[in-house]
Amino acid sequence: MTITTVGIIGAGTMGNGIAQACAVSGINVVMVDISDAAVQKGVATVAGSLDRLIKKDKITAADKDAALARIKGSTSYDDLAAAQLVIEAATENHELKLKILKQVDALVAPEVIIASNTSSISITKLAAATGRADKFIGMHFFNPVPMMALVEIIRGLQTSDATHDAVKALAERLGKTPITVKNAPGFVVNRILVPMINEAFFVLAEGLATPEDIDAGMKLGCNQPIGPLALADMVGLDVCLAVMDVYLQEFGDSKYRACPLLKEYVAAGRLGRKTGRGVYQY
């Protein structure tokens, strides 16, 4: 299957980022959200991002105009009929995603592939809620989508080889580097990353080093661009805690127990950058 038009549900951070990546690569986009204001905000975010690329001499003004012309904003799921692939990029809420996916499944043609941009929800479970489990797959883009090269392609138990190959080819067309992952809690990257962040909190709680030295150690000793505690503040400490709780529940392994200090920070409302204070003050 040749994918020439991609439908995207959700015009927020992930949705408009995916839309930009597609449009810049010559792929037509239909970006759908619940309100016209949300759609227009998403398109405006893409325009602003493209303007920054123009200033860096990465693209021309003509490239920007061409990309924006490929993005159609809409509040109607009916407009997804032109797409060969529909990517659900709504909020990370299981019930909301199920509702959206069932609605899309009933509207689009049987041969259309449906993907979810989930970072944690079971692809096998989401696929089972549709009538095309073999044509359902996970595409986990990373934020900010236009800059981050990685896409985790997650195969549910029912995902066909043809579906996987078509989505992998699309990711490569977008200039991304896809890795194929079996369905499991946290997939690959977050499965490794979030427990590392959690361990950094244990090190901090034990008083082994200051936050600055912990982060400097991981940056300089492991060649990471940002330390785990600063990264936790960026992700949101509440998000890190929620992910650890999911791992503990799903795997039943005590190695995934959340650090008490992480729980304390969340209980205090120190969630990171979004609240102005987490491990660090902002």
Side-chain angles (χ1 to χ4, degrees), residues 175-188:
K176 305 301 184 186
T177 301
I179 62 171
T180 299
V181 181
K182 290 181 180 178
N183 185 61
F187 312 135
V188 167

Side-chain angles (χ1 to χ4, degrees), residues 90-217:
T91 305
E92 195 73 351
N93 178 289
H94 186 243
E95 294 305 318
L96 174 62
K97 286 183 184 290
L98 283 179
K99 179 182 177 182
I100 290 170
L101 292 171
K102 288 177 180 177
Q103 195 172 345
V104 172
D105 184 46
L107 281 173
V108 299
E111 67 273 11
V112 174
I113 296 171
I114 300 177
S116 175
N117 181 54
T118 179
S119 59
S120 64
I121 300 171
S122 169
I123 295 302
T124 296
K125 284 183 181 178
L126 292 177
T130 73
R132 64 186 80 210
D134 62 320
K135 294 184 176 65
F136 193 93
I137 199 164
M139 289 188 81
H140 180 206
F141 290 84
F142 287 75
N143 186 31
V145 177
M147 306 301 294
M148 297 292 279
L150 180 66
V151 178
E152 284 184 313
I153 298 178
I154 305 102
R155 298 189 67 148
L157 186 65
Q158 319 93 316
T159 306
S160 71
D161 289 342
T163 297
H164 168 268
D165 293 348
V167 169
K168 181 181 179 183
L170 174 72
E172 290 171 341
R173 186 175 169 190
L174 299 183
K176 305 301 184 186
T177 301
I179 62 171
T180 299
V181 181
K182 290 181 180 178
N183 185 61
F187 312 135
V188 167
V189 175
N190 286 341
R191 169 84 174 270
I192 297 168
L193 176 65
V194 181
M196 181 192 74
I197 289 173
N198 191 55
E199 193 64 26
F201 273 92
F202 273 116
V203 170
L204 179 62
E206 292 168 22
L208 300 184
T210 64
E212 292 81 3
D213 282 352
I214 292 169
D215 280 350

